[in-house]
Each structure stands twice: as C-alpha cells, then as structure tokens.
C-alpha cells in the first residue's frame, strides 16, 4: 500500500477550499459595496466554520489497524432441489485493506475486503436463466472482530438467501419460501465464527496507518 494522504481526502479539501474562497470573496466584496456589515460577519463566520471542518477531517487520525489482518473461514452448504442433492464448500478470505474516508472526508473507517478461494465472487444456489438465488451471509468486518454489533445482529448465525429476477431485485427469501416457490430444501450449513480481534496501540503502526492510502 502506498504511503500517502488519501486521494479523495485531498480532492475534497482542495475543492472545498477553492469553492469556499471564491464564494467568500464574492460575498465579502458584495457586502462591502452594499455596506452590510452584519452579512459580512456572517459570511466570514461560515467560512471559518467550513475551514475548521476541513482541518478536522484532515487532522483526525484514522482508526487503529487490527492486530489480525488476515483470516480464512470455511463455509459449507448442503441443499436439495426437487430431490437432487447439492453441496457447496469454500473458503472465505477476509483481509484488512487500510482505511477510507467517509462523510465527505470528515470521518475515517477501517476497510476490509472479502473473497472466496475458489475465485467465485458470490455463491449461487439456483439459476434458471430468469431467477438467481444467492447465499449471502458474509461480513468481513464482523468476522474479523471489527463490528459495532449491527452487522453481527443482522447476519446472525443462520444463512440468508436473496432472490433476484425481473420482478425481484435482491429480495430476501426464507427457507419455507425456498421450498414452496423453488422446491429448494436447506439440509445443513456451516457458518463462520467471528474471531476476537485487537487493535494496535503501537505509535509506529498508528503513524504508518495515518499515511496509508485508502482502499479502493
């Protein structure tokens, strides 16, 4: 990873500063000729506030890097479609990528990526050319112990399936609906267990993390 200030943060600060400067200059000149002191003070205050927000976003340190940056999680699913048995077995790989700016450059969050060792981008359990059913139960940040509790509660310990078709765009479908609508019976599954992670308080790690380029 490159050691530099994130591109989106630099662009955000530069654009905000230029726009703020131009707008402020125009308004101050207008107020000067109109002899409206109150508005001039108000515009200067807004400008100062905007600049302080930009500086706050720039100077706020990014979240601490995790002690565990890489882990592999086995996933398994056994199901039947109209009596025909299918088995899926793969390895979910979760990796720390650094940090990214959010909230218009004012916030910073840890960034994780996930992939399957098989090379698949997603796990499809049904595809008839018109309807696709995907097994989606994977959150890299939650499995790597970097979760505020929301994702863990959302994903839970049971598999979740989503159906996509011409009339359904990513609608969650439950096991009884899988059976009644598509003849799919979920027999068994193995879900990953979330790890216990810690986050470095080493000053060198913190400084290097601050200089690390945001993830793509």
């Amino acid at each position: 990873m490159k050691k530099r200030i994130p591109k989106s943060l630099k662009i955000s600060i530069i654009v905000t500063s230029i726009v703020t400067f131009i707008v402020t200059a125009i308004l101050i000149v207008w107020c000067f000729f109109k002899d409206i002191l109150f508005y001039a003070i108000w515009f200067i205050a807004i400008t100062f506030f905007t600049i302080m927000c930009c500086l706050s976003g720039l100077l706020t340190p990014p979240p601490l890097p995790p002690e565990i940056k890489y882990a592999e999680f086995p996933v398994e699913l056994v199901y039947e479609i109209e009596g025909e048995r299918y088995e899926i077995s793969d390895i979910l790989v979760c990796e720390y990528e650094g940090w990214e700016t959010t909230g218009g450059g004012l916030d910073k969050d840890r960034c994780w990526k996930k992939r399957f060792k098989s090379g698949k981008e997603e796990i499809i359990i049904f595809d008839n050319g018109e309807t696709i059913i995907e097994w989606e139960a994977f959150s890299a940040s939650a499995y790597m112990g970097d979760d505020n509790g929301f994702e863990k509660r959302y994903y839970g310990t049971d598999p979740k399936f989503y159906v996509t078709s011409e009339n359904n765009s990513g609608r969650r479908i439950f096991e009884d609906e899988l059976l009644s609508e598509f003849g799919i019976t979920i027999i068994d599954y193995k879900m990953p267990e979330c790890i216990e992670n810690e986050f470095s308080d080493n000053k060198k790690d913190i400084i290097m993390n601050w200089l690390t380029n945001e993830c793509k």
Side-chain angles (χ1 to χ4, degrees), residues 18 32 77 83 88 92 96 118 121 128-130 132 149 171 183 192:
I18 292 175
F32 176 79
L77 179 68
I88 294 176
L92 177 69
Y96 174 68
S118 63
E121 294 185 0
N128 63 2
E130 297 180 353
I132 295 176
R171 173 179 68 90

Side-chain angles (χ1 to χ4, degrees), residues 56-76:
S56 176
L58 177 63
L59 299 177
T60 298
L64 300 175
E67 293 287 353
I68 303 175
K69 296 180 172 65
Y70 177 96
E72 298 182 356
F73 303 89
V75 294
E76 296 176 4

Side-chain angles (χ1 to χ4, degrees), residues 169-180:
S169 179
R171 173 179 68 90
R172 184 179 176 187
I173 185 169
F174 297 89
E175 290 189 31
D176 57 340
E177 296 173 309
L178 285 173
L179 180 58
S180 62

